[in-house]
Amino acid sequence: MDKNIGWRRLDNTAKIFPVIANKDMSQVFRMSVTLKSPVDPELLQQALEDILPHISKFRVKMRRGLFWYYFEENEKIPQVQRENTYPCRFIDPHRNRRFLFRVTYYECRINLEVFHALTDGLGAVTFLKSLVCRYLDLKRGVDEYWCDSDAFAPEEKEFQVEDSYLENYQETLHRSYSSSPAYQLSGKYLSLGTGQVLHGYVNVKALKNICRRHEVSITKYLAAVMIWSIWKEYLGGRACRLPVALNLPVNLRAFFGSETMSNFFAVTIIGYLFRKPDMDFDTLLGIVSRQMDRKIEKQRLLENISYNVSNEKKWYLRVIPLVLKRPALAWMFQMKDRSYTMTLSNVGLIQVEPEYASGIERFHMMIGVSRRQPLKCGVCAFGDEVVITFTSVFSDSRLQHRFFKKLKEDGLSVRLEGNDLSAVRKRDMYPRLRRVLILRRGGEAKASRLVRKAGHTGETAAKGLRDYLAGRRDWKEELNRRLHV
């Protein structure tokens, strides 16, 4: 964000999220860290206030222009809160002091929940690492911290926010997204606003040994196990007319040398159409491995970028008002949404400096779900442990247990842990929640409408007029930010 201007455009991928997000489909994900001692909320608040001035890319609120949404600097201070609801709830852009992230804590765990328009998994990991390292410094009594006069604050380097989609765009033959329907999961839904979480803990070395035996990566192996489990549990191992397909986010930074902390990922669909019921797992694993090798390579990913950015660059699409873009973008997302069965996202190994690692037990990744996207899986690793986390709005956890059963059959030891809805060891890792009737009566939506109305009062308009007259705001720049195409 330009410090003189105080606003910036959303990156190419981020533009879809404000259009489709609502309280039923939050587009929020969570990265959390479990420490080896209970969280001190006052120190956590201080740590957040210390790092945020140096990570200005997160100090934004979302505004709606005539043609697109955009980010504007947020001068308020976010407040740390004790976790008191289900994970990955919708972040209303008019509430939460208008920040697009929230920091909560529970017992020994610190949670960072992020609206996907702000950043992707890698950006959230970097922010959370900065937060927890500063917190651990404060806990050890280390008060020194860099100031604005320092030559270069580390976080400023890590949080570059250039739109790497535009920077790497090349005019080339590009492929459109496949909208062919895939098999869709079904089941009995939980009450609106609730959700089921199930973590599986696996030893890194043991998992690598299995993958080495099959000559595949961890992501390839887990993707094949997921497809296999869906086929066995939901389709009974029978032939089907629709493919079982996974939506796999791919980090593009490693392919294109980018350091941006804005969104910079692509999604690829990996799946298989089971025409015959005599498929064995090793054959499926080979098919998945070759498919990923073919699809996840630089030229194919460049074609993906080309397709996305080429649409954004078409002048006749850019000048369409946002009010007309919204239904069109929502329809396009729905068409893409039906082309996969579920999402599997692996952010890989999370590393921190040795002096901080001793105070950390593990990390978790969690992805928000909805009735349209009822079950997702997030994977991350820290130290000698891989954490596989399922989030679901189904009342049962049959796919999750089938998945972990397959890992056990392959020789892995798996420890399960979840919230109150999971029939596994709980260890009080989540707060006990009571059902909030206001959700069923539409109270939350009503409250959001009232907040939006309150945000356009005469007092706000008067303040804006005063800023223009005093020269603190430039009307030409204001038109540029609201009317940018």
Side-chain angles (χ1 to χ4, degrees), residues 186-355:
S186 60
K188 184 178 179 181
Y189 294 110
L190 296 168
S191 301
L192 184 64
T194 63
Q196 182 177 173
V197 179
L198 183 60
H199 306 292
Y201 303 106
V202 177
N203 181 266
V204 169
K205 185 177 180 180
L207 180 58
K208 284 184 175 179
N209 287 338
I210 290 178
C211 294
R212 194 176 297 116
R213 189 170 71 234
H214 290 288
E215 299 182 342
V216 296
S217 67
I218 289 178
T219 302
K220 288 178 178 178
Y221 173 74
L222 294 179
V225 172
M226 189 70 72
I227 293 172
W228 175 266
S229 301
I230 294 171
W231 180 51
K232 287 293 186 179
E233 186 62 35
Y234 279 85
L235 295 164
R238 299 185 297 272
C240 59
R241 63 181 184 85
L242 295 175
V244 176
L246 298 182
N247 180 49
L248 291 182
V250 179
N251 175 26
L252 296 175
R253 295 169 182 84
F255 292 89
F256 297 95
S258 172
E259 294 184 356
T260 185
M261 286 298 110
S262 293
N263 288 290
F264 194 40
F265 69 95
V267 294
T268 186
I269 304 298
I270 302 297
Y272 184 71
L273 176 59
F274 293 91
R275 293 188 175 91
K276 298 179 181 179
D278 56 352
M279 170 72 69
D280 63 84
F281 177 75
D282 287 345
T283 301
L284 176 64
L285 179 57
I287 293 171
V288 169
S289 177
R290 291 189 295 273
Q291 194 176 148
M292 290 179 66
D293 287 339
R294 186 174 67 253
K295 289 188 174 183
I296 306 178
E297 57 90 23
K298 188 171 182 178
Q299 185 57 39
R300 291 289 294 266
L301 296 173
L302 186 62
E303 293 171 358
N304 190 307
I305 293 175
S306 172
Y307 174 74
N308 289 332
V309 176
S310 64
N311 289 327
E312 181 182 346
K313 283 181 170 290
K314 293 174 181 176
W315 68 268
Y316 53 87
L317 296 178
R318 295 169 64 186
V319 298
I320 297 175
L322 184 59
V323 67
L324 299 179
K325 281 192 179 93
R326 286 178 60 91
L329 290 172
W331 177 81
M332 290 172 59
F333 179 82
Q334 186 174 359
M335 291 297 101
K336 173 63 178 174
D337 205 25
R338 69 175 188 169
S339 64
Y340 58 87
T341 307
M342 64 171 289
T343 295
L344 170 65
S345 179
N346 183 6
V347 298
L349 178 65
I350 299 175
Q351 296 178 305
V352 298
E353 291 77 5
E355 61 265 30

Side-chain angles (χ1 to χ4, degrees), residues 68-187:
W68 294 109
Y69 289 92
Y70 62 93
F71 293 134
E72 188 175 73
E73 185 177 358
N74 190 347
E75 298 177 353
K76 297 180 180 180
I77 299 175
Q79 295 297 305
V80 168
Q81 295 182 343
R82 183 181 184 275
E83 183 178 8
N84 59 8
T85 186
Y86 287 90
C88 302
R89 293 291 304 281
F90 176 58
I91 297 178
D92 192 323
H94 301 280
R95 306 181 71 179
N96 191 42
R97 300 197 171 190
R98 303 201 69 174
F99 285 97
L100 301 176
F101 69 93
R102 66 168 72 97
V103 176
T104 63
Y105 66 93
Y106 183 74
E107 301 295 342
C108 298
R109 191 177 65 250
I110 298 173
N111 310 308
L112 171 67
E113 296 190 338
V114 184
F115 181 41
H116 219 323
L118 188 60
T119 188
D120 56 19
L122 182 57
V125 167
T126 309
F127 184 94
L128 180 60
K129 285 166 56 177
S130 300
L131 176 63
V132 71
C133 289
R134 179 55 184 157
Y135 170 82
L136 292 174
D137 277 343
L138 290 172
K139 190 148 188 167
R140 292 198 299 259
V142 179
D143 293 329
E144 293 80 9
Y145 201 59
W146 59 81
C147 61
D148 292 337
S149 61
D150 289 343
F152 203 83
E155 269 66 11
E156 286 290 357
K157 180 180 179 181
E158 292 174 356
F159 278 81
Q160 300 299 313
V161 290
E162 66 272 10
D163 189 339
S164 289
Y165 295 104
L166 293 176
E167 288 192 353
N168 290 280
Y169 167 74
Q170 296 179 11
E171 290 190 13
T172 181
L173 293 177
H174 50 266
R175 305 168 184 265
S176 60
Y177 287 129
S178 170
S179 58
S180 301
Y183 178 78
Q184 301 297 307
L185 302 178
S186 60

Side-chain angles (χ1 to χ4, degrees), residues 468 472-482:
Y468 290 130
R472 288 190 291 270
R473 299 180 72 175
D474 182 358
W475 66 269
K476 292 182 180 179
E477 183 53 47
E478 186 69 16
L479 285 179
N480 184 28
R481 76 172 72 185
R482 292 184 181 275

Side-chain angles (χ1 to χ4, degrees), residues 185-190 195-199 226 229-230 233-234 374-376 389-406 416-426:
L185 302 178
S186 60
K188 184 178 179 181
Y189 294 110
L190 296 168
Q196 182 177 173
V197 179
L198 183 60
H199 306 292
M226 189 70 72
S229 301
I230 294 171
E233 186 62 35
Y234 279 85
L375 203 155
K376 297 184 181 181
T389 300
F390 285 88
T391 47
S392 172
V393 295
F394 289 143
S395 59
D396 65 74
S397 54
R398 59 186 214 172
L399 175 60
Q400 296 92 308
H401 287 285
R402 168 71 74 162
F403 176 89
F404 290 122
K405 179 182 178 182
K406 173 59 180 170
L416 300 180
E417 193 173 34
N419 62 2
D420 291 342
L421 298 173
S422 303
V424 296
R425 188 181 182 189
K426 302 169 181 63

